[in-house]
Amino acid sequence: MSTQQHSIQFNSKSFSFGRHETFALRFGWLTKGFQGLTINPDIFLDEDATVHLGVGKNMVSSIRYWMLATKIAEIKGSHIEASEIGHLIFSETGWDPYLEDEATIWLLHWLLASNSQHATAVYWFFNHFHKSEFSSDEMFGGMKEFVGERLEGKKVADSSLKHDCNILTRLYVPSQGDKRTPVEDALDSPLSTLGLMNKSELSNRYVSKPDGRWDIPLGVIGYAIGELFEASDQSSVAIEAIVHGTESMPGLGSTFRITEECLVSKIEELITWVPGVFELRESAGIYLLYQLEEMLPIEFLNMHYKAYEMEIAA
């Protein structure tokens, strides 16, 4: 079983804010961090880490953080090491070490937004903040309310929450190409290509709402649903829970900002794609997805990347 099993469940005693050193994830950072980690397991403690990774000292800490937040690495004792999913994506013979397939970016988004332990702000935004249009102040207010209600009285500095609000927009909103924007801040995150958050055209507000996201690959949908089944330890999950999530579990509709209609269609495609694994049933007006045969989440991704490889070769 994967060491990441059940890590998508929310735990009010395990959370993290403001650990990114105010740097948003950048293209190349996970590849660079993974390669450094495989050469030197203590790379992030090494005095020469800035030389080996080719970034400043604070960026070294930020790369380490984003590797944990996206589950590409995990904490083992006093250091971190590459995770199973990290090896599968970023090793020399990995699925997509240079993020050339958009499916990998969708996958990284799911890994990040379902990681309430290391990426609490991202988890909160996609699973508990349901305003389709909002200001930075409204985002901050919502995050502060969530902390007060869900983190068992734990205190988080307002400055940390404000930094996380800023990072959320820098992670997901494409830069506007403003000449006054510092070059460092204009470097878009790979997640900004997904169209999950945008600047409102009419005002200084943001928009993030469900849409028909037909381009999300079935392998990523299958992986996410597989993780829900692993974490719930049930043979069936209500479609409503898959779409909207629960108090302790992320939902695909919320996380991927995908409409219920589109998501149910994708689930029906998934049922056809992996025959005999899933089945949709209706009982007393409630639609449930049953897992008829156990299939590890990783296997859905393996199917996608094998098909992608064949497509590239052709």
Side-chain angles (χ1 to χ4, degrees):
M1 282 289 183
S2 166
T3 52
Q4 295 160 16
Q5 186 176 334
H6 306 329
S7 61
I8 65 169
Q9 286 181 299
F10 177 76
N11 180 348
S12 61
K13 295 178 181 176
S14 186
F15 56 88
S16 174
F17 291 95
R19 301 283 175 85
H20 39 66
E21 301 287 345
T22 73
F23 294 109
L25 176 65
R26 297 181 183 177
F27 271 104
W29 272 15
L30 296 178
T31 307
K32 189 178 289 190
F34 178 87
Q35 290 173 346
L37 199 57
T38 52
I39 294 168
N40 175 8
D42 294 316
I43 181 76
F44 295 105
L45 301 173
D46 198 317
E47 289 183 5
D48 294 329
T50 54
V51 177
H52 296 308
L53 296 174
V55 297
K57 189 176 179 182
N58 286 357
M59 286 188 186
V60 170
S61 298
S62 188
I63 291 173
R64 179 186 185 278
Y65 166 74
W66 288 117
M67 290 185 71
L68 289 173
T70 55
K71 304 182 189 174
I72 298 309
E74 52 199 2
I75 295 173
K76 291 284 182 168
S78 61
H79 66 288
I80 71 170
E81 62 182 47
S83 64
E84 177 191 17
I85 194 80
H87 278 290
L88 287 168
I89 298 171
F90 290 102
S91 66
E92 282 186 26
T93 55
W95 289 327
D96 189 20
Y98 299 102
L99 306 187
E100 295 167 304
D101 181 358
E102 191 179 61
T104 311
I105 300 175
W106 280 114
L107 173 60
L108 289 171
H109 166 65
W110 168 259
L111 292 168
L112 180 67
S114 64
N115 188 356
S116 62
Q117 179 182 2
H118 292 293
T120 314
V122 183
Y123 165 82
W124 161 80
F125 178 80
F126 284 100
N127 291 284
H128 294 277
F129 188 63
H130 302 301
K131 287 192 173 185
S132 57
E133 188 176 317
F134 50 89
S135 66
S136 296
D137 285 345
E138 287 168 337
M139 197 194 309
F140 167 72
M143 196 184 298
K144 187 168 182 177
E145 186 178 331
F146 173 80
V147 169
E149 289 177 354
R150 297 295 303 279
L151 300 187
E152 301 188 354
K154 297 289 192 298
K155 300 291 184 186
V156 180
D158 283 1
S159 57
S160 291
L161 299 182
K162 285 177 180 176
H163 282 316
D164 277 358
C165 287
N166 183 39
I167 285 296
L168 267 163
T169 57
R170 283 169 54 198
L171 276 176
Y172 288 98
V173 178
S175 63
Q176 305 296 304
D178 190 329
K179 290 180 181 177
R180 292 171 297 178
T181 303
V183 174
E184 289 294 306
D185 290 340
L187 295 171
D188 281 359
S189 148
L191 299 165
S192 69
T193 64
L194 300 178
L196 294 172
M197 196 192 309
N198 288 287
K199 216 47 184 307
S200 172
E201 294 178 4
L202 302 176
S203 61
N204 194 27
R205 295 170 69 80
Y206 298 95
V207 177
S208 180
K209 59 185 179 182
D211 205 345
R213 302 187 190 277
W214 300 98
D215 57 334
I216 303 177
L218 290 181
V220 177
I221 297 286
Y223 178 84
I225 288 175
E227 286 212 314
L228 289 182
F229 271 100
E230 273 195 348
S232 67
D233 204 24
Q234 301 289 324
S235 62
S236 67
V237 177
I239 288 295
E240 185 179 357
I242 293 175
V243 176
H244 301 294
T246 65
E247 284 295 296
S248 62
M249 214 79 85
L252 273 69
S254 303
T255 299
F256 291 121
R257 291 293 193 258
I258 184 172
T259 62
E260 184 169 348
E261 179 190 8
C262 183
L263 180 55
V264 170
S265 292
K266 298 294 281 187
I267 290 171
E268 289 170 344
E269 287 180 42
L270 183 67
I271 290 169
T272 305
W273 193 51
V274 285
V277 176
F278 295 119
E279 185 177 82
L280 266 177
R281 298 180 196 164
E282 187 259 341
S283 176
I286 298 172
Y287 285 89
L288 299 164
L289 183 66
Y290 280 80
Q291 187 169 34
L292 308 177
E293 180 185 312
E294 186 177 350
M295 185 166 168
L296 294 176
I298 290 294
E299 294 180 58
F300 295 100
L301 296 176
N302 201 34
M303 285 177 65
H304 167 81
Y305 285 108
K306 275 186 178 175
Y308 177 73
E309 196 177 312
M310 289 170 66
E311 191 180 309
I312 296 298

